Amino acid sequence: MIRKPVLGILGVSDGDPGVHETLKGIVQAQVDAIVKQLRENGSVEVIEAQCLVNSVETAKEQAEYLKKCGVDGTVISHGVFAFPNFSAIIAKNGQGPFLLCANLNPDWPGMVSMLAAGGALDHLGIDHFRAAGDFREPEVLEKILRFARCASAVNRLNGQKYGLIGGRSLGMYSATVSMQDWQELFGVDVDHMDQSEIVRLAEEVPDEQVEKAFQWLTERVKAIHYDGLRLTEEKLKTQIRHYEALKRIVRENKYDFLGVKCHYEMSRHYCTECIAAAFMNDPYDWDGPKEPIVYACEADSDAALTMQILKHLTGDPVIFMDVRHYDQENDVMVFCNCGSQSTYYAGASEIPEENLKNVQLYPCLEIYAGGGCHVNCMTRPGIATIARLNRYKGKYRMTIIPTEFVTLPEEKMAETTLEWPHVFAKLPFDHNIFLDKFSANHCHAVYGDHVEDLKTICRMLHIDCEVLGE
């Protein structure tokens, strides 16, 4: 369960002590109104400043207090005309991003104060957000809630540790990582580990844990298509051992998310890593409910980072997809992944059995001589959002695509690669726009319409954003 966003809030007032005494009740009333609506909504935790801001000293002091409390972002409430330099000092000393709020009250110039403060922040080159109106109105409250969700998603990245296991896979430039860019833009540290650690630690997994996992899978998936060659019981147990080894690697190295190379050292000489890819990204495994750990196939690091942002935003498992085909007859893009995706998307249920009854394990393709299974399923229909971080001339941008997942007859999966998981997605624009402009062979998705949230996140991260079809 993802933690709630934490917002700090402070009210700013007039800098004259006598005037402040007259107006402080109005200033506090607006702070109280915002806090009341947020707490009644229940999706955001709120930390209030210790006092109203009516001086340079209190502006710095209270901004630092909220920052020390670990807030994800700061709301500056303008109920009357407050000195704009207070907001500037808060923004220079507090925890960004910053949201300026004002109630459109003709009795008091809070709106004027918000505009003056906004001008001060613009003058200083400090980007910020604004919400003006009656905070009881859903559209006004949603501006604050969106700010909170997105600020949390952005700030949770800072200080996280990415485990890059193996190097570049299959010569893909778009899958590589720049440690300097990640630290500067996102605050993420990259730790490189060799894939041999998976093999070494797999040998130390207790046999009883392997048997437990094997029985759990055998009893729950729709079918396991053993062929006596590439997919045997022992090879499936090897894949389980590799997943258990990765769980240990994550735990002992305190990795927040992962990319694993797989091809071809693992897939050709040991086993495919499909079980690990599926269940790392799942909210459960044979040990019970768990937090999904983002796992990107083929060590696609920008994939992993995109998926981590989507996970922070929604709290849900995230799909890793390969772009494969355009089905003209059904007007759908076909995403068919060589590795695996979260089995959660086979049924969109928190109950593993509801998803796994739609999952089949097939022998891996002949080119993966190490053997093992591929994890096949068709993604359950629903409104979804596709996203992908990519780079153009060294500069990051996020490509965002609103979409709808649909169900087609199962035999449609045999037109591409039956053994692999499939997503059939309707795009709200001509497919040629996607083929002309999309800048990677992998993309990622979650259920729901998150376009506006992702645009806000890009603004907070100071990276470019494109919504295909707009």
Side-chain angles (χ1 to χ4, degrees), residues 30 102-106 108 111 132-134:
Q30 179 163 296
N103 194 330
L104 302 185
N105 184 346
W108 302 103
M111 178 184 68
D134 186 339

Side-chain angles (χ1 to χ4, degrees), residues 70-86:
V71 300
D72 293 313
T74 304
V75 175
I76 307 174
S77 172
H78 294 259
V80 300
F81 188 84
F83 286 16
N85 61 317
F86 299 160

Side-chain angles (χ1 to χ4, degrees), residues 47-64:
I47 298 177
E48 299 180 64
Q50 297 166 306
C51 65
L52 298 176
V53 170
N54 70 322
S55 66
V56 168
E57 292 77 15
T58 53
K60 184 173 186 293
E61 174 189 272
Q62 295 305 307
E64 289 177 341

Side-chain angles (χ1 to χ4, degrees), residues 181-206:
D181 285 348
W182 273 32
Q183 191 59 254
E184 180 179 356
L185 292 172
F186 311 110
V188 174
D189 184 47
V190 178
D191 188 57
H192 198 170
M193 180 178 291
D194 195 274
Q195 293 183 100
S196 62
E197 275 297 276
I198 298 175
V199 178
R200 182 181 72 84
L201 295 175
E203 296 176 356
E204 300 180 9
V205 178

Side-chain angles (χ1 to χ4, degrees), residues 45 52 82 93 100 120 135 148 158 177 216 240 253 264 267 275 329 340-341 368 379 381 406 418 423 426 446:
E45 182 182 339
L52 298 176
N93 293 276
L100 309 182
F135 303 109
N158 191 36
V177 61
W216 188 88
I240 290 168
N253 293 275
Y264 281 111
S267 61
I275 289 291
E329 178 185 359
S340 188
Q341 68 182 40
Y368 307 131
T379 297
V406 298
L418 173 64
V423 179
K426 284 194 172 290
V446 287

